[in-house]
Amino acid sequence: MPHTLQYRPLLIDSLISNERINSYQSVFHPANDVELMGVYLWNAHVCGALYPLMGAVEITLRNAIDQAIAADLGRFWWAGSKLRYRSFAPGVDAPHPVQAVRENFAKATRNYAAEQRRRHAVRGNVTPHHHGVIAKTEFSTWEFLLDAEFMGRGLIWPKHLSSVFRGPWPVHQASAMLAHVHDLVATLRDFRNRLFHHEPVWKRYGVLTETDALQHLQEKIGKVETLLALIHPENLRLLQANGLLRDAHRACTSAEIRRFQHLAQARQIDSLDVLAELVLRSTQENSVLTAQLHQEPPQSFLILPP
């Protein structure tokens, strides 16, 4: 039972640290350590629900950009001087976004070679493999490629913009569309870094209450949906059809916080009719319900949407 655990000094003071947990206290105002650890574990639950969404964003974005450019410039389109940019001038250093793309691909190539040597005992020089290098790129690579430096006559944008983003555009002008998707990717990359580094995923400037935190998370899910639909609506339908978007939205609710804080009311089930009613409610409300069989000793379980 949660009330029998050694929250202090063991779990909170030593294994988690007060510095890390204090932000939960100030925003969610738990009444005791059980509720404090509940909201801490809820954050981990949210991260798990959002992980496949962020993975879908990163993978579909990089593949859409890679396929469009490779069809035009060749499989190693990032190598040499193939990838041209707007402000090029002889003898002048490339601007930061261009340098960052080059460095990211150089790092990805090195990481691919190192993995081949480590996992497959390859010796000597390793011949780069297109898909292997692409898979090793960092998310920032694709944000930098969406920079306005690559927008202009004869450059990758706007030439391939409609091939990469095949969903309905919110704006008609290519430059405005590029700026729009660049901002989306930049926002989601920053959010993804918090998620993957096990930080409080709800934190940002101006988040002062539980309501603020939940609104922030729901906004980020909305941006994921927007970007995936812009790349191709089928990406979004895949996550919808398999319940991943539904799970993410449900995780970012006050009802789920209460559940992890052991404050959710247990529904007593004494008939199949009551059970059927709760299953229907769970489905309609997209909520997890705590239920308890009417017997001794009580047997508790969860009812989840299908």
Side-chain angles (χ1 to χ4, degrees):
M1 297 298 291
H3 293 278
T4 64
L5 297 172
Q6 298 181 46
Y7 293 102
R8 298 181 193 269
L10 183 60
L11 289 173
I12 294 176
D13 298 338
S14 300
L15 300 182
I16 297 173
S17 83
N18 283 291
E19 290 77 12
R20 189 170 185 86
I21 207 76
N22 281 344
S23 58
Y24 292 89
Q25 185 75 55
S26 62
V27 170
F28 296 93
H29 304 293
N32 50 53
D33 286 341
V34 174
E35 294 182 18
L36 178 60
M37 282 303 301
V39 77
Y40 177 81
L41 294 173
W42 165 78
N43 181 76
H45 172 64
V46 169
C47 290
L50 296 178
Y51 184 92
L53 274 60
M54 299 310 301
V57 165
E58 185 168 358
I59 291 170
T60 56
L61 178 66
R62 82 182 184 202
N63 287 343
I65 293 176
D66 172 55
Q67 289 171 13
I69 302 178
D72 181 28
L73 301 180
R75 292 174 66 78
F76 292 91
W77 48 266
W78 58 85
S81 58
K82 290 184 177 182
L83 194 61
R84 298 166 57 203
Y85 56 95
R86 187 174 63 185
S87 64
F88 171 79
V92 178
D93 289 341
H96 173 65
V98 179
Q99 290 279 22
V101 169
R102 291 172 176 174
E103 291 168 6
N104 279 8
F105 272 107
K107 181 180 178 180
T109 302
R110 291 194 300 270
N111 288 343
Y112 170 76
E115 183 181 72
Q116 294 302 301
R117 296 188 184 100
R118 183 179 64 254
R119 294 182 59 188
H120 305 290
V122 176
R123 298 186 180 276
N125 293 330
V126 175
T127 302
H129 183 274
H130 171 264
H131 290 300
V133 174
I134 290 293
K136 292 296 182 184
T137 55
E138 298 178 355
F139 195 2
S140 63
T141 308
W142 313 101
E143 177 188 338
F144 288 124
L145 275 167
L146 292 168
D147 190 86
E149 272 294 335
F150 299 103
M151 167 68 80
R153 186 181 297 275
L155 305 182
I156 59 173
W157 317 125
K159 186 177 183 180
H160 300 298
L161 205 57
S162 61
S163 298
V164 175
F165 301 101
R166 292 184 282 173
W169 286 18
V171 293
H172 296 295
Q173 190 177 9
S175 59
M177 177 62 178
L178 184 67
H180 176 69
V181 294
H182 178 272
D183 289 347
L184 272 176
V185 173
T187 298
L188 290 176
R189 184 171 75 89
D190 181 66
F191 183 67
R192 174 254 192 213
N193 289 343
R194 294 196 66 82
L195 180 73
F196 283 28
H197 291 115
H198 312 291
E199 298 181 37
V201 73
W202 45 267
K203 284 186 72 174
R204 77 164 178 196
Y205 177 77
V207 171
L208 304 176
T209 66
E210 177 181 304
T211 300
D212 295 337
L214 294 174
Q215 181 178 343
H216 170 61
L217 292 171
Q218 294 290 352
E219 287 173 357
K220 290 298 182 288
I221 297 173
K223 290 185 182 297
V224 167
E225 293 174 311
T226 297
L227 183 56
L228 288 175
L230 282 174
I231 297 169
H232 198 294
E234 202 68 9
N235 291 321
L236 195 58
R237 286 195 286 268
L238 175 66
L239 298 183
Q240 290 170 333
N242 289 279
L244 295 177
L245 281 173
R246 177 202 62 201
D247 293 347
H249 281 293
R250 182 177 65 247
C252 302
T253 61
S254 59
E256 283 295 89
I257 295 177
R258 302 289 92 77
R259 183 166 72 85
F260 277 86
Q261 292 179 318
H262 300 278
L263 296 175
Q265 178 186 359
R267 278 76 172 178
Q268 295 294 327
I269 296 179
D270 53 13
S271 70
L272 288 177
D273 288 341
V274 172
L275 176 60
E277 179 183 337
L278 290 177
V279 169
L280 179 61
R281 178 179 171 184
S282 173
T283 302
Q284 291 176 337
E285 297 179 356
N286 186 28
S287 61
V288 177
L289 302 179
T290 303
Q292 200 170 68
L293 291 179
H294 191 68
Q295 64 179 42
E296 291 295 336
Q299 297 292 318
S300 298
F301 60 95
L302 298 177
I303 300 175
L304 282 76

